[in-house]
Amino acid sequence: MNEEKEPILRAENISITFGGLKALDRVSLEINPGEIMAIIGPNGAGKTTMLNIINGFYKPDEGRIIFEGKERPKKMKPNLIAAQGIARTFQNLALFTGMSTLGNIMVGRTMLMHSNIFSQALYWRFSQKEEIEHRAAVERIIDFLQIENIRRTPASMLPYGLRKRVELARALAAEPKLLLLDEPMAGMNLEEKEDIARFVLDANEELGYTIALIEHDMGVVMDICDRIVVLDFGEKIAEGTPDEIKADPKVIKAYLGTAGG
Amino acid sequence: MFYRECGNFKDNYASDMAIFPIPLDRYGFIVMLILALIVIPLTATDYWISSIMIPFYCFALSAFGLNILAGYAGQISIGHAAFMAVGAYASLILYGRYGIPLLPSILGGGIVSAAVGTFFGLPALRIKGFYLAISTLASQFIIQWVIVHWRWVSGGVFGTVEAPDMQIFGWALDTPVRKYYLVLCIMILLITFGKNLVRGQLGRNWMAIRDIDYAAEIIGVNLYRDKLIAFAVSTFYAGIAGSLITFCYYGAANIEEFHVMVSFALIGMIIIGGLGTILGSFLGAGFFVLLPIAINQSLGAFMDVVPSDILSNIEAIIFGGLIVLFLIVEPYGMARLWHTIKDKMRLWPFPY
Amino acid sequence: MTFFFEVLINGLLMGIMYSLVALGFALIYKASDVFNMAQGAMSLLAGLALVGFLEMSFPLWLALLCTVGIMIILAYSTVFFVLKPLVNRPPLMLFMATFGIMYLLEGIGQSIWGTDAKGLNIGIPEISFEIRGILMNTFDLTFAGVAALLVASLVWFFQKTRTGRALRAVSDDHEAALSVGIPLLKAWAVTWVIAGIVATVAGVAWGSRLGVQFSLGYIAFKALPVLIIGGIDSIPGAIIAGLIVGAGETLAEVFIGPYVGGGIQTFFPYLIALLVLYFKPYGLFGKEIIERV
Ligand SMILES: Nc1ncnc2c1ncn2[C@@H]1O[C@H](COP(=O)(O)OP(=O)(O)OP(=O)(O)O)[C@@H](O)[C@H]1O
Ligand SMILES: [Mg+2]
């Protein structure tokens, strides 16, 4: 449905090696504006590595990233990439445990806030106004994800499922052009999964976010995604709509060939 | 956009984000302010004012500076007393040698210290953890050496510069009470600024860096910039504290007062008081300043003159014992004991 | 040129003594991930205790034995009263706890044995002599020899003996070690005992050179840059970096010092450290910490 549009992000021939292990081997993929794209594959296939490259935490040995039509310089720092409009959540939770839920989400807005250190120290006019505006925006996200009652809870005291949700809130707070979710539903029970799936869909449909997510739960993936890319041992083995992927013999083989999935 | 109306945002958040959202805190703060501004200067003896309150405020300010770096931004500095020295010598030179007015000189001490501190913070851009902690000791030894060996700094007399009499607009700051007010006013001002910083975006970025630096960077925190700012702000506070304590308490800048053991003591203060809290910086500094006096008083009941070595040994044992005890029992220090009570009362305006 | 070598050799002899102190840090860090700021204070305590026992006219061997006994008690009490309750806390907290231990040791040691500076003479002659025009003395050589011997036996202990290898297993992977049944706390205690013995040797060496007094604890400030140059978890690193620092600071003091007013030994090791870390952020041999998300 988005065929005519230019992809928001294009990764071309990405390769990266870790001490002899080829974690990604000439993988190309595109993310189109407005879609929910899924990256799936068995454990260790290189999915997280791909996200790490997209948001600049790893630098690929080969290949290039084109974001919004512009090629990304080789050594661009992750925070600048975030500032371009790429936000993410982490597979192994990376909340700031010394802060409250609110604090965590406010950090997500750091690139949108501009008052300088002197104005912050005085907490006058601009700085105060900015703080209040952004607080209001964060409250809207808190409402959206229904985490009002844990606003002030220290992140270290949240249960696992809520931590994942706060991470999602933190990523949404950045109002990114591209949202990367690394296994947002891993380890959750059915009910929690449904909640998150609904939030992801709402974020996409109501708020218009472009989303790329990694998920092992095929049911969810087939339900909510527009397009799927399948990785196996660092290579892209298939790409297409959920129906195409379900029928792809290579995918079936990759999944049957491993215990997990 | 998604937008759900839920009452009058601005009013709610503005008051929710005030410095003291719960009234009890506000009253407590006002009481403290009245004590510090009116009661103490009126009732305390000169000894208490000049030998206890003034150093207490100065150490609290310096401990707060270190707390910004270690407690908020997670970058420990083991050579912090050296930056107090930088502030002390710089402001004395500005005031005594170049005749710059007192307040700008003190500010200048802070600025020079911040500049030097930023320079010594540069390794933080490449190294982390204990490697960084140890390299901050470099600042202690290099600064100490420069002060002793560069005649231009120390004025020739082995690392000691006398503090000249202080005047503000021709008004002499010659009594303990006047000095007290100078220290108090500057302290209140700087702590207010500091409080605003740590509860604002910069403070949140610092805490994010402290908790998980790479995640902070991926989310958009400018690691390098914010770490360096933490070093700058922290050493600025140290510089001002060093300048004030020299002008108003020691009376002369002497490198021995800014020895590495003072740096260690500052670390002890923020642990005992509470890492990452402002209250903790005060509690820790107060404890540090009062401990020798308390020991002296209690031993004084048994002997006429308490030998200074016994005093310092007992002090070391209690100080060390409490550091260990607090880390085990209450890792966030004395301040947390108070916060635990406070959090229970914080039901307004968003009840659980 | 002979003068240069004389300075160099004396620097290297000094460097071995730095390695010794740094080794104490590295051992404990490797085994328990604790960066022990009290290492210098442990040397001070050992020095104080030894002098104390000698003053009670114990023979040297008995005094040494008693001192080591004290270090063993210290090691066990540290591990069981301080580290045990702090297991699994962030490394920064354990680091800060060792600040507390440092104060405690200084306070307790000086309460028992007094604060005044004491000479420590364990009967090693100080005779200067010349080899090919290079001036040396027996005292420095003896201690460098002892230090080298200790370093060598530690390396041997960790590489070749069963206990040593078990300790290394603990340091490499706490969980794995637990799963094969090595009790963590016991392993830590043994490591702290070894570090205590290292501290004793360092305390004796430096105490006989400088006298036993509060500032003996400051030898830690020489060992710290050595440690980060070598890499805090590397034993060979501590040794090589000790030599680099010893040679570097002595050469600098002799050849650069006079032009800048002298005394640069206090900070020169830190300059070397900053330089090395600029190129190798985990020291020459330190294990790089790789973050994964
Ligand atoms: N920093 C690193 N250093 C070394 N190896 C790495 C690093 N990051 C990833 N790898 C390796 O690259 C491979 C791909 O890892 P990746 O985390 O991308 O897998 P994944 O597809 O996300 O798997 P999972 O479903 O388990 O999350 C794995 O073999 C992993 O061990
Ligand atoms: Mg993964």
Side-chain angles (χ1 to χ4, degrees), chain A residues 35-40 200-201 211 213 215 219-228 240-242:
Chain A
E35 73 175 348
I36 300 182
M37 192 203 78
I39 302 176
I40 65 170
V200 171
L201 269 179
I211 298 170
L213 63 83
E215 188 47 59
V220 176
V221 171
M222 298 298 164
D223 271 359
I224 67 172
C225 296
D226 301 315
R227 216 158 49 80
I228 298 172
T241 62

Side-chain angles (χ1 to χ4, degrees), chain A residues 4 13 30 33 44 50 60 119 133 138-139 143 180-181 187 231 238:
Chain A
E4 311 91 310
N13 291 315
E30 290 172 0
M50 193 67 213
S119 138
E133 266 170 29
V138 163
E139 287 296 333
D143 274 359
L180 310 172
L181 306 177
L231 296 182

Side-chain angles (χ1 to χ4, degrees), chain C residues 249-271:
Chain C
E249 67 161 26
T250 318
L251 289 173
E253 186 66 57
V254 172
F255 293 104
I256 305 173
Y259 300 104
V260 293
I264 61 178
Q265 264 171 340
T266 51
F267 71 83
F268 198 77
Y270 288 91
L271 280 190

